[in-house]
Amino acid sequence: MSTESQEFYELYRRHVRYVLDGDVRASLADMVQENIPQVFQGVTVPRGKVDSLRIVDIRPEGDRWVGETVYDTPQGRIGLRSIWELHDGSWKAAALENFLPGEEG
């Protein structure tokens, strides 16, 4: 695994842990600030308690990285894909999409 791959894997794992822990401030800090709030429009994201999560994929796509995680919440299961871009030398989530759990990748 390349150094870039390892660094992104660690960043993404830390990010989804913020979501699991309910640390909204930290999870938002990992996002492209000028994309908030439009990045959330039309996307279902965990709000409040998250019972568990499962990272289902982390992969490069061209000059971006994509992370896919399934979150189990009291309201149901949420498949969330985040698209990350390099901004000022740091990887930041620039877009979010939902996917049906079981249809990731």
Side-chain angles (χ1 to χ4, degrees):
M1 182 180 294
S2 72
T3 301
E4 180 183 75
S5 296
Q6 184 63 36
E7 288 174 2
F8 185 79
Y9 278 65
E10 290 172 13
L11 168 68
Y12 186 72
R13 287 184 186 119
R14 185 194 74 209
H15 176 77
V16 297
R17 183 68 195 193
Y18 291 151
V19 176
L20 179 67
D21 292 343
D23 191 340
V24 176
R25 182 175 294 212
S27 66
L28 289 176
D30 282 340
M31 303 187 80
V32 177
Q33 298 302 300
E34 56 268 17
N35 288 12
I36 299 170
Q38 62 268 25
V39 73
F40 292 101
Q41 291 179 356
V43 179
T44 301
V45 298
R47 297 192 188 278
K49 183 171 175 33
V50 174
D51 297 318
S52 65
L53 64 82
R54 180 174 53 93
I55 296 172
V56 294
D57 196 17
I58 301 172
R59 65 184 181 276
E61 285 190 357
D63 60 352
R64 297 174 167 183
W65 280 89
V66 175
E68 295 180 338
T69 299
V70 175
Y71 296 93
D72 288 308
T73 73
Q75 294 76 35
R77 187 169 277 173
I78 299 170
L80 190 61
R81 176 181 300 117
S82 55
I83 297 91
W84 296 68
E85 300 173 346
L86 203 54
H87 283 261
D88 298 322
S90 298
W91 288 101
K92 299 286 184 181
L96 299 174
E97 302 171 349
N98 289 116
F99 63 89
L100 293 175
E103 295 183 6
E104 50 272 353

